[in-house]
Amino acid sequence: MEARWVKQTVEPLIGGHEIFLDSDDLQDLTKLLNHVVESEVLIIMQTSEVIARPWMILELHTAVTHDIPIVALFVRGKGYDFDKSPQILSHLDTQLDQLNPGASKVLRQFGVEPIDAAYLLSQVIPKIISIELNTSASKKVLDASMQDLVQHLRNAKPCKINLSK
């Protein structure tokens, strides 16, 4: 629900650029990663389940490996834990199937080993400064949050990390 609202709110603010929402008009999930590669920026909606969803992990992994900038939107009240997330990401190879049984198999089907995703994402995601979305806030605060998001989208740069282990 929040992702759809952000899409509808931000599209008019970014001058006609379309925001692809991964749940919109996607008949074939295998094409999802192509949409990420074709994107100028990937927005991660920080909620409790985001780092346990294999498709989101694949989207993030694809963005990082293709130098697609990532902007994080922290959704207040949806359970994202900034303290636990880096640890989960660091140990994604051992914890992913505990959080979401069968998720590792999905990653492997697309040529991504969970240990590689763990290393890559643990180097990137915790370093992204999040923008807060508080859906209970006043209209003025929501408008300001969306303006902040637009500014971050315009200024987004790819995450550069050292991939040597």
Side-chain angles (χ1 to χ4, degrees):
M1 181 175 78
E2 289 86 358
R4 183 159 317 287
W5 180 83
V6 168
K7 173 185 166 87
Q8 291 172 344
T9 303
V10 171
E11 276 183 337
L13 302 175
I14 56 175
H17 292 279
E18 182 181 349
I19 295 177
F20 170 75
L21 183 58
D22 60 9
S23 61
D24 274 353
D25 200 29
L26 187 61
Q27 304 299 320
D28 182 356
L29 280 173
T30 62
K31 294 181 182 179
L32 177 61
L33 303 181
N34 291 335
H35 287 287
V36 173
V37 171
E38 294 168 359
S39 297
E40 293 178 39
V41 180
L42 177 72
I43 301 172
I44 175 177
M45 304 283 290
Q46 291 174 309
T47 63
S48 62
E49 66 277 353
V50 71
I51 56 177
R53 293 177 47 216
W55 286 101
M56 192 68 236
I57 293 167
L58 287 168
E59 287 180 64
L60 291 166
H61 187 274
T62 300
V64 173
T65 58
H66 287 85
D67 293 327
I68 306 298
I70 301 170
V71 172
L73 189 61
F74 168 67
V75 185
R76 179 169 290 286
K78 292 293 182 173
Y80 188 80
D81 189 328
F82 285 96
D83 292 330
K84 289 182 182 176
S85 293
Q87 181 182 2
I88 293 170
L89 286 168
S90 294
H91 301 285
L92 200 59
D93 55 316
T94 58
Q95 293 185 7
L96 182 57
D97 282 326
Q98 293 171 5
L99 297 169
N100 188 348
S104 292
K105 182 179 177 184
V106 174
L107 298 184
R108 288 187 180 103
Q109 287 173 337
F110 287 86
V112 175
E113 283 298 319
I115 196 163
D116 294 332
Y119 178 77
L120 188 68
L121 298 183
S122 69
Q123 299 298 306
V124 173
I125 303 305
K127 295 177 183 172
I128 298 173
I129 304 297
S130 300
I131 301 154
E132 182 177 358
L133 173 61
N134 181 354
T135 57
S136 298
S138 70
K139 181 176 179 350
K140 287 185 180 187
V141 170
L142 286 168
D143 289 345
S145 293
M146 292 303 96
Q147 289 294 334
D148 194 19
L149 176 61
V150 167
Q151 204 55 35
H152 276 78
L153 292 172
R154 288 185 176 139
N155 297 329
K157 305 256 186 287
C159 301
K160 298 293 181 188
I161 62 168
N162 181 357
L163 292 178
S164 61
K165 293 183 180 178

